[in-house]
Amino acid sequence: MTTTPPAAPAPFGARLRRAMDTYGPLCVGIDPHPSLLADWGLGDDVAGLTAFTRASVDALAGHVASVKPQSAFFERFGSRGVAVLEGAVAELRDAGTLVIMDAKRGDIGSTMTAYAQTYLSPGAPLFSDALTVSPYLGYGSLAPAVQLARESGSGLFVLALTSNPEGAEVQHAVRPDGRTVGATMLAHLARDNEGAAPMGSFGAVVGATLGDLSSYDLGIGGPLLAPGIGAQGATAADLPKVFGPAAHLVVPNVSRGVLRHGPDVAALRGAAERFADEIRAAVA
């Protein structure tokens, strides 16, 4: 008796492109910051975290292309907080909403392998569609995550040109070959996305608040996760100016701009839909 092997998972880039075309490119962050918990009238405890997460998932699951939980705001409550995150990830993915885990992991060797297995191994409690990673131990240190992402149909978002002012001292530093460190990361990603269609699975984190980026080749063939829309000052109208011909690759991330409308589920969903409409119109 012969058995048919399970079908290979569709690559993250293809799934993300399909979701962006269906719902618009917006990615909504779930960031249970203490100030937001307070604004919602919730305690800064596991009960408050649970209520915040429950409302966010109810509002967003099945209504946006992707959601980005910030792992740190769950981890600070220990194992009970991580359990809330596990439940949210499972519910969002069951609803067909892509989960980009914002954990910014980065290490070497077996430790990087373990981080990758935590978020990118099917069956792991925190298995996500993609993971944010830091390449500043050298892009090659991410090899275990790149390999596992390919095998599991997951994706990575590599910190390349971040919006925090401190990032410039590393990312804008010029290498002996004349390229900046940030440009070098983009070049690595372009290589890892070669031949992928309709979009590669290896993306970059590029801040929407950085202004004119025409000196950088953003055409990496994969998505550009762009924080900074809303509370950080960037608008949907800024996206074509910042990203130029690569605007169709942009996954704009909005967190507080949506979450401040909670705890009402309908208000949260309405805010997400408005942002999605504005962004879709801006990058069409």
Side-chain angles (χ1 to χ4, degrees):
M1 179 179 176
T2 60
T3 59
T4 303
F12 170 70
R15 292 185 288 120
L16 178 60
R17 182 73 264 171
R18 184 166 59 246
M20 292 166 67
D21 292 343
T22 301
Y23 298 103
L26 174 69
C27 172
V28 180
I30 299 183
D31 298 1
H33 191 281
S35 64
L36 277 171
L37 294 175
D39 289 346
W40 283 30
L42 300 171
D44 189 17
D45 51 28
V46 174
L49 175 72
T50 301
F52 183 97
T53 305
R54 174 77 272 147
S56 299
V57 171
D58 286 348
L60 302 172
H63 294 276
V64 296
S66 59
V67 167
K68 183 174 71 64
Q70 172 45 261
S71 181
F73 290 120
F74 295 85
E75 293 175 32
R76 68 194 187 95
F77 293 105
S79 61
R80 292 181 299 164
V82 173
V84 174
L85 179 59
E86 290 175 4
V89 169
E91 288 189 43
L92 288 161
R93 298 192 75 245
D94 285 347
T97 300
L98 299 177
V99 174
I100 301 169
M101 182 62 69
D102 194 356
K104 299 183 178 70
R105 299 303 192 228
D107 215 304
I108 59 172
S110 60
T111 308
M112 190 66 236
T113 299
Y115 279 137
Q117 290 169 339
T118 300
Y119 303 102
L120 303 176
S121 288
L126 286 170
F127 178 54
S128 302
D129 297 284
L131 171 68
T132 60
V133 290
S134 173
Y136 294 110
L137 289 172
Y139 189 87
S141 68
L142 301 179
V146 171
Q147 179 179 343
L148 186 52
R150 290 192 190 281
E151 294 170 357
S152 64
S154 303
L156 299 175
F157 283 97
V158 176
L159 303 179
L161 296 168
T162 58
S163 56
N164 62 305
E166 303 87 350
E169 68 184 45
V170 174
Q171 296 155 19
H172 295 177
V174 178
R175 290 162 34 91
D177 63 6
R179 288 193 302 188
T180 66
V181 172
T184 300
M185 298 308 159
L186 294 171
H188 282 303
L189 289 165
R191 181 202 63 207
D192 280 340
N193 286 321
E194 282 182 2
M199 185 166 69
S201 297
F202 301 103
V205 179
V206 179
T209 57
L210 294 178
D212 182 8
L213 292 174
S214 58
S215 61
Y216 285 91
D217 183 1
L218 299 177
I220 63 171
L224 303 169
L225 183 62
I229 303 291
Q232 293 184 46
T235 68
D238 293 325
L239 295 173
K241 294 179 286 186
V242 175
F243 294 94
H248 67 289
L249 298 171
V250 174
V251 181
N253 173 231
V254 178
S255 297
R256 282 173 288 175
V258 171
L259 297 174
R260 67 183 180 84
H261 294 276
D264 182 76
V265 168
L268 285 167
R269 186 177 299 160
E273 290 173 348
R274 288 191 297 275
F275 270 109
D277 288 343
E278 291 175 9
I279 290 166
R280 192 198 300 262
V283 301

